[in-house]
Amino acid sequence: LDRFDLVHANNFWCPPWRLRGSLIYTLYDMSFIEHPEWSTAKNSKGCLKGMQRAAQYADGFVAISEATKQAFLKHFPSIAPDKVQVIYPASRFGQPGLHAKQKPPTNKIFKTGEPFFLCTGTIEPRKNKHFLLDVYHHYRTRGGLPIPLILAGKQGWLMDDFNQRIAASTWARDIYNLDYVSDAELAWLYQNCLLNLYPSHYEGFGLPVLEGMHFGAPVICSNTTSMPEIVGEAGILLRPDDLSGWVQALETLTSEPQLRKELQQASIARAALFDWKRSATQIRMFYAAVTD
């Protein structure tokens, strides 16, 4: 690594020495410090070790949200704020409003043309999917429309009981856990879902929120960490423990198609603010500033 003018570390690992060239380190989130109970001890230890090294040796930091930047500076107050540049990611699916390659998952439920709720992302504690099951249970118990809940995301850590929790639900027949889906299937799900639900406790950025907005999926998500930065006024933001608020939001949006249409339009416009070309330009400028 000492052969290069610039090294950009972007997977939590950091070289354990000061390089001859410049070192930039990407900051994703601080959940492993602020909520270690949401991760394994091995993962938390590895992430913390990398970040501690970066605080010692890096010449600059790229934060994927303002929330991440502020959390990092709180835990590493010796770092000058001007060494941390916020540069947002963007959607993997191209320009907002355009149709990426799509295909429905093979499950028979998607051949009916019926509406469905969608929640994507890894099955892990900070994604708060046990809470989402509670929301769905109360929504249905209160007489909500029998709209299926679709979960798409790989099985992560500390959630071995999740499928058993689904099986024990009164509404298990209407809850589908698809596990991992391809990008084409994910694009189809975003494009066709009635609502995109994301009750996560903590996000460095929250790509599933932006990706859904890219396709015009009306979003209900948490109002914590970075998610308000993404959604702005283009979706419904609620506390990740506000059970009654989430249930009421489902009831409102399922019964008001005009409101859903307004959120669809607002989502596409908001998603257009996050652009990979702009991010690349900002990265190049930051490289130049750090190596100057």
Side-chain angles (χ1 to χ4, degrees):
L1 295 179
D2 282 330
R3 297 163 47 207
F4 301 98
D5 297 322
L6 175 71
V7 173
H8 189 161
N10 58 8
N11 68 343
F12 282 98
W13 184 83
C14 181
W17 68 90
R18 184 168 295 281
L19 302 179
R20 293 180 181 177
S22 299
L23 173 65
I24 289 177
Y25 184 88
T26 293
L27 303 166
Y28 293 101
D29 70 78
M30 305 294 293
S31 62
F32 59 93
I33 293 178
E34 298 190 334
H35 292 279
E37 71 274 14
W38 293 340
S39 182
T40 63
K42 180 180 179 180
N43 182 70
S44 295
K45 181 179 179 181
C47 292
L48 178 59
K49 187 174 183 180
M51 197 164 288
Q52 288 173 329
R53 287 177 178 174
Q56 184 176 1
Y57 298 123
D59 301 288
F61 301 83
V62 172
I64 62 173
S65 67
E66 184 65 33
T68 289
K69 175 179 178 176
Q70 295 306 319
F72 174 68
L73 293 175
K74 179 181 72 174
H75 291 282
F76 293 89
S78 63
I79 303 298
D82 61 3
K83 291 182 67 174
V84 186
Q85 177 73 40
V86 175
I87 301 178
Y88 290 118
S91 171
R92 77 187 83 179
F93 294 112
Q95 293 299 314
L98 297 182
H99 296 279
K101 182 180 179 181
Q102 299 181 23
K103 70 172 184 179
T106 57
N107 195 295
K108 293 181 180 179
I109 187 67
F110 301 117
K111 297 180 180 180
T112 66
E114 297 297 322
F116 59 89
F117 300 137
L118 176 66
C119 179
T120 65
T122 308
I123 309 295
E124 60 177 89
R126 72 180 172 93
K127 301 296 186 180
N128 203 23
K129 295 192 178 182
H130 281 308
F131 171 78
L132 183 60
L133 295 183
D134 289 339
V135 169
Y136 188 69
H137 173 81
H138 282 77
Y139 163 78
R140 292 295 302 274
T141 301
R142 283 164 53 105
L145 295 173
I147 299 172
L149 172 62
I150 307 299
L151 304 164
K154 290 192 68 172
Q155 180 71 34
W157 47 57
L158 306 179
M159 293 282 282
D160 293 340
D161 64 337
F162 189 66
N163 285 325
Q164 290 90 333
R165 174 79 183 278
I166 292 175
S169 171
T170 306
W171 313 104
R173 66 185 181 277
D174 289 330
I175 303 174
Y176 297 83
N177 189 2
L178 304 184
D179 203 285
Y180 175 83
V181 296
S182 68
D183 277 2
E185 291 170 324
L186 183 58
W188 188 93
L189 290 168
Y190 284 136
Q191 183 73 50
N192 291 277
C193 69
L194 188 73
L195 299 174
N196 183 26
L197 310 177
Y198 205 69
S200 179
H201 285 292
Y202 196 112
E203 292 293 324
F205 182 75
L207 270 174
V209 175
L210 179 64
E211 289 175 348
M213 293 169 64
H214 173 102
F215 289 99
V219 63
I220 307 173
C221 74
S222 299
N223 63 357
T224 59
T225 57
S226 63
M227 287 170 279
E229 296 178 54
I230 303 170
V231 176
E233 297 182 358
I236 295 178
L237 294 161
L238 297 166
R239 294 196 324 270
D241 60 353
D242 182 3
L243 181 61
S244 62
W246 278 78
V247 173
Q248 184 175 357
L250 287 181
E251 293 172 342
T252 298
L253 287 179
T254 54
S255 63
E256 297 188 20
Q258 181 58 36
L259 178 56
R260 293 200 305 273
K261 184 177 180 180
E262 292 171 2
L263 290 177
Q264 289 172 342
Q265 295 170 344
S267 292
I268 292 173
R270 180 74 181 177
L273 301 178
F274 299 87
D275 176 72
W276 279 121
K277 290 184 179 180
R278 182 183 297 113
S279 298
T281 298
Q282 292 173 332
I283 284 282
R284 288 197 298 269
M285 292 174 63
F286 192 52
Y287 285 173
V290 169
T291 57
D292 187 12

